[in-house]
Amino acid sequence: MGSAVRIARETTEQVLTEWGVSRHHPTVDPALLILSELVTNSVRHAAALSPNVTVIYAAGPDTFAFAVHDRHPCRPPLLAATTRTRGGGLGTVMELTLGLGGTAVVRGDADGQGKSIWITLPL
């Protein structure tokens, strides 16, 4: 699991650098934490049905978007952490995403056998 997260973080840093986003931009550290949580969840919960995890990147003039994709059919609910939850995992993802003014959505594969969790953050 650790190597998947490390590779995803390093690749994301490289993509952002190539797209001209400074490593010190205030969105970068939270984006890397969000990515780490999503990759960890995918490896932890989807590995039995989906040994591969894919990270997809997109950008606009003032936007950075990325998705973590696996082939497990379960589509987790994206709920912000509340006092009833521990605040880890997807709760952390939602709190960080919403706190930055971003959005999160789960998009299922056309065949219903996988999904991508897309995060869009303003730059």
Side-chain angles (χ1 to χ4, degrees):
M1 177 173 6
S3 64
V5 172
R6 181 181 48 78
I7 290 167
R9 286 178 66 98
E10 289 172 356
T11 302
T12 303
E13 287 180 12
Q14 181 179 353
V15 166
L16 287 167
T17 298
E18 289 174 4
W19 287 350
V21 179
S22 167
R23 176 65 182 89
H24 302 292
H25 189 285
T27 299
V28 172
D29 282 337
L32 292 173
L33 180 54
I34 292 165
L35 175 79
S36 297
E37 289 288 346
L38 292 176
V39 171
T40 297
N41 285 349
S42 186
V43 170
R44 183 175 291 149
H45 300 293
L49 295 177
S50 180
N52 296 316
V53 175
T54 304
V55 179
I56 306 155
Y57 304 98
D62 299 319
T63 305
F64 175 57
F66 59 92
V68 175
H69 175 266
D70 62 53
R71 293 289 294 161
H72 194 286
C74 177
R75 294 186 195 178
L78 297 178
L79 305 172
T82 65
T83 55
R84 296 185 318 254
T85 67
R86 293 178 308 219
L90 291 178
T92 298
V93 166
M94 291 308 297
E95 291 295 324
L96 288 168
T97 300
L98 297 175
L100 291 167
T103 61
V105 65
V106 179
R107 292 195 175 110
D109 291 356
D111 65 3
Q113 295 303 307
K115 84 284 194 178
S116 298
I117 299 179
W118 277 94
I119 304 295
T120 303
L121 301 172
L123 290 175

